[in-house]
C-alpha cells in the first residue's frame, strides 16, 4: 500500500465502517433469530421457533415449524444471515491481506442479496401472521422483530459503503 493509499484510508475509512456495519448486521440477525419474542400479547408469545401460550398451570409451547409461512420466514432470515456471514468473512480476509479492492463489488452484491432476503422475510411475517389470525386479542410486534429490521438497515448501509469508489476521487487531489 502506498503512502497515498494509506493517507486516503485514514481520511476516508468507508470500507472499515462497512466492515463494522456488516458485523453489526450479522450480530443483530443472530439475536433476532434467537429472540423468544417476535409477537407478544398478555398470554401469548411467538418467536421464529415456537409459539407459547399461558395456561393455568404454566406455559405451553409448540413448534412453529409446522406452518409454511413461518418456515419460509425462518429460511429467508437464515439465508440472509448466511450470506451476510460469507460477505463479512470475505471482506475481513481481503481487508487483512491487503487485497481489499478486488472483492468490494462481490461483497456489495452479496449484501444487497441479503437485504432483499431479509426485507422479504420481514414483510412476509406480519402479513401472514395477521392473515392467519393467531391472536384475537391485542398483540404487538416485539424486539425480536425490530432486531430483524435493524439488521436489514445495517446490511443496506454496509452494501452502500462497499459501493463507494473513493479511489477514483483521491487521485485528483494529488
Amino acid at each position: 500500500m502506498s503512502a497515498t493509499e494509506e493517507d486516503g484510508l485514514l481520511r476516508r475509512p468507508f470500507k472499515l465502517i462497512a466492515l463494522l456495519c456488516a458485523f453489526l448486521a450479522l450480530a443483530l440477525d443472530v439475536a433476532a433469530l434467537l429472540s423468544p419474542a417476535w409477537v407478544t400479547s398478555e398470554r401469548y408469545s411467538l418467536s421464529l421457533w415456537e409459539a407459547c401460550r399461558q395456561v393455568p398451570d404454566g406455559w405451553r409451547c409448540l413448534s412453529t415449524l409446522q406452518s409454511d409461512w413461518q418456515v419460509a420466514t425462518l429460511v429467508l432470515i437464515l439465508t440472509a444471515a448466511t450470506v451476510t456471514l460469507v460477505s463479512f468473512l470475505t471482506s475481513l480476509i481481503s481487508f487483512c491481506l491487503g487485497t481489499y479492492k478486488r472483492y468490494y463489488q462481490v461483497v456489495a452484491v452479496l449484501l444487497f442479496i441479503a437485504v432483499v432476503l431479509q426485507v422479504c422475510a420481514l414483510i412476509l411475517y406480519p402479513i401472514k401472521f395477521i392473515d392467519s389470525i393467531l391472536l384475537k386479542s391485542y398483540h404487538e410486534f416485539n424486539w425480536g422483530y425490530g432486531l430483524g429490521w435493524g439488521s436489514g438497515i445495517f446490511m443496506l448501509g454496509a452494501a452502500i459503503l462497499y459501493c463507494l469508489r473513493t479511489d477514483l476521487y483521491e487521485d485528483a487531489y494529488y
Side-chain angles (χ1 to χ4, degrees):
M1 190 181 289
S2 69
T4 306
E5 288 177 351
E6 287 178 358
D7 189 37
L9 183 63
L10 292 175
R11 283 189 287 135
R12 296 185 196 110
F14 294 126
K15 305 314 184 209
L16 191 58
I17 294 170
L19 185 65
L20 178 65
C21 285
F23 175 75
L24 289 174
L26 185 62
L28 288 174
D29 227 4
V30 169
L33 282 166
L34 299 176
S35 167
W38 272 55
V39 177
T40 56
S41 71
E42 188 175 324
R43 295 187 175 107
Y44 184 81
S45 176
L46 179 66
S47 73
L48 289 175
W49 304 98
E50 61 185 7
C52 297
R53 290 188 186 274
Q54 188 177 17
V55 293
D57 59 339
W59 286 86
R60 177 172 297 163
C61 297
L62 300 171
S63 174
T64 60
L65 300 179
Q66 299 165 354
S67 173
D68 58 348
W69 65 270
Q70 289 173 320
V71 171
T73 302
L74 184 62
V75 166
L76 285 170
I77 291 178
L78 281 171
T79 306
T82 304
V83 170
T84 304
L85 176 64
V86 168
S87 65
F88 172 73
L89 291 176
T90 303
S91 178
L92 181 66
I93 291 169
S94 65
F95 191 80
C96 290
L97 293 178
T99 59
Y100 52 89
K101 290 183 181 181
R102 291 186 194 164
Y103 300 105
Y104 283 162
Q105 290 177 342
V106 174
V107 170
V109 168
L110 286 174
L111 284 170
F112 279 124
I113 290 169
V115 168
V116 169
L117 292 170
Q118 187 89 359
V119 169
C120 287
L122 294 170
I123 291 173
L124 171 74
Y125 191 83
I127 289 172
K128 294 306 286 182
F129 172 78
I130 292 170
D131 188 41
S132 68
I133 309 174
L134 291 173
L135 294 177
K136 296 185 181 191
S137 64
Y138 173 77
H139 62 275
E140 59 187 30
F141 291 94
N142 215 325
W143 59 273
Y145 182 71
L147 288 175
W149 277 109
S151 174
I153 289 168
F154 276 106
M155 283 178 208
L156 181 62
I160 290 170
L161 287 172
Y162 278 119
C163 287
L164 294 178
R165 297 277 318 257
T166 57
D167 58 331
L168 294 177
Y169 304 111
E170 290 173 2
D171 293 335
Y173 296 117
Y174 298 105

